[in-house]
Amino acid sequence: MEEGFKMQHEESQEHGSKENMSIIFSDANTRTMQDESSTVGTPTSLPLVVSQAADLLIKSVVETNSGSRERTSTDFAPAVSSKTKKLSDGKDNSMLQNKFSVPSNGSLLESKPVKKKMRCEMPPKTVMLIDEMQRLLVRHRARSRAMRPRWSSERDQEILRAKLQIENAPVLKNGRDLYAPVFRNISMFKRSYELMERLLKIYVYKEGEKPIFHQPVLKGLYASEGWFMKLMEGNKHFVVKDPRKAHLFYMPFSSRMLEYTLYVRNSHNRTNLRQYLKNYSEKIAAKYRFWNRTGGADHFLVACHDWAPYETRHHMEHCIKALCNADITMGFKIGRDISLPETYVRSARNPLRDIGGKPSSQRHILAFYAGNIHGYLRPILLDYWKDKDPDMKIFGPMPPGVASKMNYIQHMKSSKYCICPKGYEVNSPRVVEAIFYECVPVIISDNFVPPFFEVLNWEAFSVIIAENDIPNLKNILMSIPGEKYNKMQLGVKKVQRHFLWHANPAKYDLFHMTLHSIWYNRVFQIKLR
């Protein structure tokens, strides 16, 4: 899989692994996938439902005999057989996994207590499906939740005038350089983008020392935050030197470098990382008047590390957060925060290497997945589909080596659907990787908000499946008519330009799409007295 394949083989088992940092500076990959992602699935009328993955969880985490040892985050065995007796009497099954094992005859035998599982190793307690996310976005657009500024400014008035123009944008059926089906509303997007290019001004804070600030990481799993930092700090069109002229304020820190610099390996304590950013926000609040005017609501950050939601909690709560770990149950605010695409950049010099794939008529593999077995979901995926069906090319880790990497790439380029299951967290670079190779992504990750959710229509170029629908995965894919698949695959090719990094930013590329979503959400969140 070229570098996409390195995601599977070079993932560190410890978030704070500093050995891998030498890889960054030797122009190779940072650590690879620790938490990959997916999204949510089937329609529902309920905003929050109790997770229906209880049976799969029991199958995944309860051992089949009392003598087997516990699986830990660094020791993932395959999920137990689907023949294991399921416990679905409505009681709290989480207590059973701590005290009992389930032998093959189904009786409960008391065994030694099992170490408590981490949150990322278990299904979420609540699930918000994609339809409810859509409704939530509409509700948040209707009533802004942003803090009212302590005093108004001319910049606020400019944003309000822009909002009126966006809401009353001339109707477009299709754009000359845009493909309408992949957008929620191409008319509003087009007008908003034009106004962003013409009006938006950003002040980039100079405060903060390297390597946590002003030092972008351009390769590996966290490259999105690094590329945005590099291109934003070097931009002459949007950036202003006078903060009084700015509509938005950028805090240029790297969540990856924050982890590498400050996290004490094996400590399982990230308090000092959060305190460091708290001190930073207090510093700029004391030095400048702008943070205090809005409580940080016109400030934004771009962070791709899994820990970023925790690190920015409370003291940056009103900021616009562009996050790869866009988990609706972990504080991600639809309509304010941005789901940042997690892009695994293989070559800093040529981030577009190997882009493209076969036309739909030459994609003879129905579905493909290969990767490490992180979290609770992937063992379930492999338990149901590995070596079970010739149409479903579902594998675990592929062996290292150039030939294997190229084999991975060719599988993605030759598959109709590329399976993107979550790992420890909801986000996964496989979503963008599938788009990169023009394969329709199949996102399996409850509570994941897809990238650029506020402007893109993901139903036009992806399949979003609830985690508990894994047993029906093939039936779901086979039920999609050929004509619809061809339209989705065309949508993938058309939306691809919005997920690419360029050394020199191009119109509608990933840099501009990220910046636009930040601008767009600010426009619809602003409040005046």
Side-chain angles (χ1 to χ4, degrees):
M1 74 189 231
E2 289 271 349
E3 239 69 333
F5 182 78
K6 291 181 184 177
M7 284 190 303
Q8 304 162 18
H9 298 293
E10 298 174 8
E11 295 184 75
S12 85
Q13 295 174 334
E14 181 65 46
H15 272 285
S17 175
K18 297 192 177 182
E19 291 92 285
N20 286 332
M21 205 54 211
S22 61
I23 300 177
I24 293 177
F25 300 112
S26 63
D27 198 35
N29 298 318
T30 62
R31 79 173 169 78
T32 32
M33 292 209 58
Q34 170 183 0
D35 311 354
E36 296 191 30
S37 54
S38 320
T39 345
V40 298
T42 53
T44 180
S45 59
L46 298 176
L48 286 175
V49 297
V50 176
S51 174
Q52 299 175 8
D55 288 346
L56 297 179
L57 169 62
I58 296 298
K59 189 161 79 72
S60 165
V61 300
V62 177
E63 304 293 347
T64 56
N65 62 76
S66 59
S68 60
R69 64 182 175 86
E70 171 211 6
R71 287 194 308 147
T72 67
S73 59
T74 57
D75 180 21
F76 289 96
V80 299
S81 168
S82 57
K83 296 180 181 178
T84 302
K85 183 176 179 65
K86 297 177 181 178
L87 306 176
S88 55
D89 59 359
K91 297 180 181 180
D92 186 359
N93 292 326
S94 63
M95 296 182 65
L96 295 177
Q97 77 183 48
N98 289 329
K99 188 173 183 180
F100 296 101
S101 17
V102 183
S104 57
N105 63 6
S107 62
L108 295 177
L109 299 178
E110 188 167 357
S111 65
K112 295 181 181 179
V114 177
K115 183 179 178 181
K116 184 179 179 181
K117 295 290 180 181
M118 297 174 63
R119 180 194 62 82
C120 60
E121 297 175 72
M122 302 179 70
K125 295 180 179 179
T126 57
V127 172
M128 180 180 288
L129 301 180
I130 194 71
D131 281 9
E132 180 55 27
M133 291 183 187
Q134 313 271 22
R135 291 190 285 270
L136 192 60
L137 177 64
V138 172
R139 290 200 297 271
H140 287 178
R141 283 281 180 263
R143 60 178 193 277
S144 169
R145 300 189 303 168
M147 285 190 63
R148 288 183 174 87
R150 292 184 178 180
W151 62 90
S152 183
S153 74
E154 177 57 29
R155 307 289 84 77
D156 295 334
Q157 299 300 328
E158 289 174 349
I159 292 177
L160 285 175
R161 289 193 289 269
K163 180 179 180 180
L164 287 175
Q165 292 186 56
I166 294 169
E167 291 176 330
N168 296 283
V171 177
L172 295 176
K173 292 186 177 180
N174 213 335
R176 180 183 304 176
D177 49 357
L178 294 171
Y179 184 59
V182 301
F183 291 93
R184 291 181 177 276
N185 187 317
I186 190 173
S187 304
M188 292 179 65
F189 173 81
K190 178 80 170 176
R191 189 65 182 128
S192 176
Y193 191 95
E194 292 170 348
L195 290 168
M196 177 193 76
E197 286 189 310
R198 193 173 81 213
L199 297 174
L200 180 60
K201 299 302 176 186
I202 295 170
Y203 182 75
V204 180
Y205 283 110
K206 303 299 188 293
E207 286 71 22
E209 298 179 355
K210 293 182 178 180
I212 295 174
F213 289 84
H214 314 293
Q215 183 166 308
V217 177
L218 301 179
K219 288 190 64 175
L221 188 60
Y222 307 114
S224 285
E225 67 179 25
W227 274 88
F228 183 88
M229 183 192 299
K230 169 184 165 60
L231 298 176
M232 188 76 263
E233 292 200 305
N235 189 277
K236 295 182 179 179
H237 177 78
F238 295 108
V239 174
V240 291
K241 295 181 179 179
D242 185 352
R244 294 171 297 181
K245 298 179 179 179
H247 302 91
L248 292 166
F249 299 81
Y250 173 45
M251 299 173 287
F253 71 90
S254 165
S255 59
R256 168 56 177 142
M257 296 306 297
L258 179 68
E259 173 233 348
Y260 168 68
T261 306
L262 297 183
Y263 180 68
V264 179
R265 189 181 182 190
N266 298 324
S267 68
H268 306 293
N269 189 335
R270 298 166 289 166
T271 305
N272 60 324
L273 282 66
R274 186 166 68 176
Q275 185 63 41
Y276 185 89
L277 291 183
K278 181 175 184 292
N279 293 342
Y280 168 76
S281 61
E282 291 174 348
K283 179 179 180 179
I284 62 174
K287 184 174 180 179
Y288 301 91
R289 62 202 301 255
F290 308 103
W291 177 282
N292 296 325
R293 189 182 80 89
T294 63
D298 54 0
H299 288 56
F300 71 92
L301 59 95
V302 177
C304 206
H305 197 279
D306 303 328
W307 296 349
Y310 169 82
E311 294 163 352
T312 58
R313 192 178 302 164
H314 303 313
H315 51 279
M316 295 181 174
E317 199 56 38
H318 299 295
C319 299
I320 301 170
K321 303 177 184 180
L323 302 170
C324 289
N325 190 1
D327 187 336
I328 196 69
T329 66
M330 295 298 291
F332 185 92
K333 302 295 191 301
I334 288 180
R336 184 199 68 186
D337 296 335
I338 311 303
S339 179
L340 178 68
E342 185 174 20
T343 56
Y344 196 91
V345 176
R346 306 180 304 280
S347 170
R349 293 185 178 181
N350 182 15
L352 304 183
R353 190 172 69 191
D354 296 323
I355 190 174
K358 294 181 180 180
S360 58
S361 61
Q362 297 179 26
R363 291 177 176 263
H364 303 304
I365 301 172
L366 176 63
F368 169 67
Y369 168 79
N372 281 345
I373 314 303
H374 294 300
Y376 66 86
L377 188 68
R378 295 185 196 176
I380 296 171
L381 176 68
L382 266 65
D383 187 54
Y384 272 104
W385 293 109
K386 185 177 186 294
D387 301 325
K388 302 293 175 62
D389 191 303
D391 295 328
M392 306 289 286
K393 305 296 184 182
I394 308 297
F395 309 106
M398 298 180 77
V402 175
S404 187
K405 297 172 188 176
M406 295 308 297
N407 186 32
Y408 180 93
I409 291 177
Q410 289 308 313
H411 269 79
M412 290 201 103
K413 290 187 174 187
S414 304
S415 298
K416 294 181 181 293
Y417 299 98
C418 290
I419 311 302
C420 306
K422 67 177 291 184
Y424 286 134
E425 303 293 346
V426 294
N427 49 301
S428 170
R430 276 183 176 80
V431 177
V432 175
E433 191 175 44
I435 295 172
F436 199 81
Y437 297 125
E438 299 174 4
C439 179
V440 175
V442 179
I443 302 172
I444 312 177
S445 176
D446 292 344
N447 299 322
F448 176 57
V449 182
F452 306 138
F453 184 68
E454 55 283 331
V455 295
L456 292 184
N457 173 26
W458 278 81
E459 293 180 357
F461 58 94
S462 73
V463 179
I464 298 175
I465 293 177
E467 293 175 10
N468 63 309
D469 278 334
I470 284 179
N472 302 317
L473 181 56
K474 183 178 180 180
N475 289 337
I476 292 171
L477 299 181
M478 290 295 291
S479 69
I480 298 173
E483 183 180 358
K484 182 177 180 180
Y485 165 75
N486 289 333
K487 288 181 178 179
M488 285 194 295
Q489 208 259 339
L490 175 62
V492 170
K493 295 171 69 173
K494 294 293 187 179
V495 82
Q496 184 186 74
R497 65 184 299 192
H498 306 308
F499 290 86
L500 304 178
W501 293 112
H502 300 275
N504 296 308
K507 194 177 182 72
Y508 301 124
D509 69 355
L510 188 43
F511 170 73
H512 285 100
M513 287 293 289
T514 303
L515 192 58
H516 172 266
S517 282
I518 293 168
W519 150 264
Y520 192 77
N521 279 1
R522 177 57 182 162
V523 165
F524 282 94
Q525 281 280 298
I526 192 169
K527 274 186 175 181
L528 297 182
R529 293 185 182 277

